[in-house]
Amino acid sequence: MIETLKKAKIVVLISGSGSNLQALINACETGHLNAHIALVISNRPQARGLARAERAGIKTQVIDHQDFIKRADFDKELARSIADYSPTLVVLAGFMRILSADFVDQFASRLLNVHPSLLPKYPGLNTHQRALDAGDNEAGATVHFVTTELDGGPAIVQAAVPIETHDRVEDIASRVLVVEHKIVPLAAHWFIEGRLNLRAGAAELDGTPLPIQGYVFRSSKTTSHHNSQIPSSV
Ligand code: GRF
């Protein structure tokens, strides 16, 4: 109990499979992330990530966006539930809703999102299809601070993966997920250790503004999909 009190508190928002949530759970369990996940909220009752949270003994809540006529009312309910826990950090881990400016303002500077592209390329949906259509030879993911601009907040960390000949969207998606599972816990770790800040609209790591694409993460082959580790060198 005393240990729990010393740890940072994270609230994670999901919509789907929750594999990024799992990476965060693993990082908390192995001690790579000095935090505990206080609550997982899904906007979809069927999200598979809810079962992952329950298995890990984490409290879950469903706030189904379909129960709300107005987007603002959904956002208010969501904000109320999160605020009850006074989290250090809120992570959007595959959370597929656009959030209103009021919501973003309420949690400004402690709201992270993972996006499956090498931002600023391909904000929005269907990122892998768009990369294929453009003939790109790499895809990737970016963790960024959330601002009112869709997928446009300052980038924190980015990881690229190759696009191989004959790749389909699913091939790229699963390759990208592997790196997401590394950079999501890494960004959360930096934030919780106080090394990462949003200052005057820019992401800073260890007091130095990050470049437009964020810290460029280079994957180590020893880290497997299911065993996300935070590299000690960063
Ligand atoms: C991730 O690729 C994320 O970038 C995108 O949706 C996917 C969610 O995966 N927005 P999961 O639910 O964490 O498994």
Side-chain angles (χ1 to χ4, degrees):
M1 184 65 187
I2 290 171
E3 262 207 2
T4 304
L5 290 177
K6 276 191 289 185
K7 291 182 177 188
K9 222 184 285 172
I10 304 182
V11 170
V12 183
L13 309 190
I14 60 167
S15 299
S17 113
S19 65
N20 281 293
L21 163 67
Q22 189 66 56
L24 287 166
I25 293 172
N26 295 350
C28 289
E29 285 178 351
T30 57
H32 286 94
L33 197 51
N34 188 27
H36 80 104
I37 301 172
L39 176 68
V40 169
I41 303 178
S42 172
N43 66 308
R44 292 199 181 121
Q46 312 305 338
R48 283 192 290 132
L50 289 167
R52 294 181 191 268
E54 278 153 21
R55 267 201 302 276
I58 299 167
K59 198 163 187 272
T60 60
Q61 189 180 351
V62 173
I63 305 178
D64 188 340
H65 63 276
Q66 291 182 327
D67 293 341
F68 298 81
I69 295 166
K70 290 194 207 144
R71 182 183 292 274
D73 291 339
F74 167 77
D75 284 9
K76 267 189 204 146
E77 185 65 27
L78 190 61
R80 215 182 347 252
S81 290
I82 298 170
D84 278 350
Y85 285 81
S86 309
T88 319
L89 176 67
V90 180
V91 182
L92 312 184
F95 182 68
M96 302 302 285
R97 298 292 298 169
I98 294 174
L99 295 163
S100 60
D102 282 348
F103 180 96
V104 172
D105 288 346
Q106 187 171 343
F107 300 101
S109 312
R110 53 179 167 137
L111 197 52
L112 307 187
N113 180 45
V114 57
H115 181 75
S117 82
L118 297 171
L119 289 171
K121 257 190 174 181
Y122 313 132
L125 297 174
N126 304 320
T127 54
H128 304 320
Q129 186 61 57
R130 287 153 73 195
L132 277 178
D133 293 346
D136 292 355
N137 59 15
E138 60 175 14
T142 309
V143 178
H144 63 94
F145 280 107
V146 177
T147 61
T148 49
E149 192 189 338
L150 176 66
D151 300 324
I156 297 162
V157 52
Q158 183 167 92
V161 299
I163 296 180
E164 316 277 7
T165 323
H166 310 309
D167 262 354
R168 297 157 303 158
V169 164
E170 311 83 81
D171 303 314
I172 301 173
S174 53
R175 209 172 293 134
V176 166
L177 272 178
V178 174
V179 291
E180 289 189 17
H181 300 162
K182 296 174 186 173
I183 63 175
V184 170
L186 178 60
H189 169 69
W190 284 339
F191 188 87
I192 278 159
E193 298 300 312
R195 296 175 56 190
L196 173 69
N197 289 289
L198 180 64
R199 211 164 272 142
E204 283 185 3
L205 182 62
D206 298 329
T208 306
L210 285 161
I212 182 100
Q213 76 276 31
Y215 178 95
V216 178
F217 178 83
R218 291 184 208 287
S219 206
S220 115
K221 291 200 175 93
T222 54
T223 308
S224 80
H225 189 153
H226 296 291
N227 183 22
S228 166
Q229 300 280 329
I230 295 169
S232 52
S233 56
V234 288

